[in-house]
Amino acid sequence: MRRLRAYFFTGLLTLLPIWLVWIVFKFVLSLLSDISQPWVGPVSSNLAAAHPEMLGWMDDPWAQAGFAVVGTVLVIVAVGALARRVVGQRLLAWFEALIARIPLAKTVYGSARKLLDLLQTKPDGTQRVVLIDFPHRDMKCVGFVTRVVTEAGTGRELAAVYVPTTPNPTSGYLEIVPVDKLTPTDWTVDEAMAFIISGGAVSPDVIPFDRTEPRA
């Protein structure tokens, strides 16, 4: 029984990181394939029906999922290349002007756009990647400062901090934290995302924990 228990825990520790990678990989693949699936599926099915001997394998769900991922990646690369050109920037400006006329779409698109733009820049006077006391003062969470505001009445600086969850960083919490309660880090956004997605397995050797209290 001891040997079986040891084998079980060894196998569990061996498979756990692979399982986490598969969850993230499957999540990303599902998002990518779902975008192109509406047009990739009919096209591949028609090609398979027209040439069953040579292209019959294209009707397989796994093949269609692979084609959908490749198609989505190509579309993303094409959009990125177009966005760097004058024509693409004009089209993007026209699209944003169109979205601005739709109330709900305007809110969702504008918020997502501002969040992505903010994560690519460093806020004035505040480090982008910080640690906050959550859920209590003896525990820390990695968060991204998205905005610094002023408290009404006192003038104290407050930071809006987005705290992603592991291993899916697209969901999380929004915390309002006093700036003097933040624990600054020297991490980049990429390093913080790798730390979060890997469940802490990918991390620097030294991590700040206690804040440096200002001298009286």
Side-chain angles (χ1 to χ4, degrees):
M1 290 300 298
R2 288 183 178 179
R3 186 172 297 180
L4 280 176
R5 228 176 5 242
Y7 287 162
F8 175 79
F9 284 111
T10 301
L12 183 63
L13 294 176
T14 302
L15 293 175
L16 186 59
I18 301 176
W19 177 69
L20 292 175
V21 170
W22 168 247
I23 289 177
V24 176
F25 190 68
K26 182 180 179 181
F27 174 75
V28 175
L29 283 182
S30 297
L31 288 179
L32 293 177
S33 61
D34 289 345
I35 296 174
S36 298
Q37 190 65 37
W39 62 271
V40 168
V43 170
S44 59
S45 297
N46 291 335
L47 289 175
H51 306 281
E53 296 181 358
M54 296 180 57
L55 303 178
W57 56 273
M58 295 181 66
D59 201 22
D60 188 271
W62 283 95
Q64 292 185 4
F67 289 142
V69 171
V70 173
T72 302
V73 171
L74 291 177
V75 171
I76 293 174
V77 172
V79 170
L82 186 62
R84 290 179 173 267
R85 302 180 182 275
V86 177
V87 176
Q89 294 175 357
R90 290 180 178 176
L91 289 174
L92 182 60
W94 173 83
F95 176 76
E96 290 180 345
L98 179 63
I99 290 294
R101 299 180 179 180
I102 307 174
L104 182 59
K106 172 186 176 181
T107 302
V108 175
Y109 178 83
S111 301
R113 187 70 187 179
K114 288 179 181 178
L115 177 61
L116 293 177
D117 291 341
L118 281 171
L119 291 179
Q120 296 176 9
T121 60
K122 183 178 178 179
D124 295 336
T126 306
Q127 177 66 27
R128 174 67 67 199
V129 183
V130 297
L131 303 181
I132 66 171
D133 299 336
F134 184 78
H136 56 79
R137 60 179 302 176
D138 293 327
M139 299 178 69
K140 300 287 186 181
C141 274
V142 180
F144 301 99
V145 176
T146 58
R147 185 178 176 85
V148 176
V149 297
T150 303
E151 183 181 10
T154 64
R156 182 174 56 164
E157 288 187 321
L158 304 174
V161 183
Y162 174 66
V163 181
T165 56
T166 300
N168 178 15
T170 59
S171 63
Y173 306 93
L174 177 63
E175 304 289 333
I176 306 298
V177 185
V179 170
D180 57 359
K181 298 297 184 182
L182 301 176
T183 301
T185 71
D186 57 356
W187 297 0
T188 65
V189 173
D190 292 339
E191 290 173 339
M193 292 300 291
F195 179 80
I196 293 168
I197 293 175
S198 67
V202 179
S203 68
D205 295 330
V206 179
I207 298 177
F209 193 84
D210 292 326
R211 291 184 299 273
T212 302
E213 300 294 341
R215 295 182 179 179

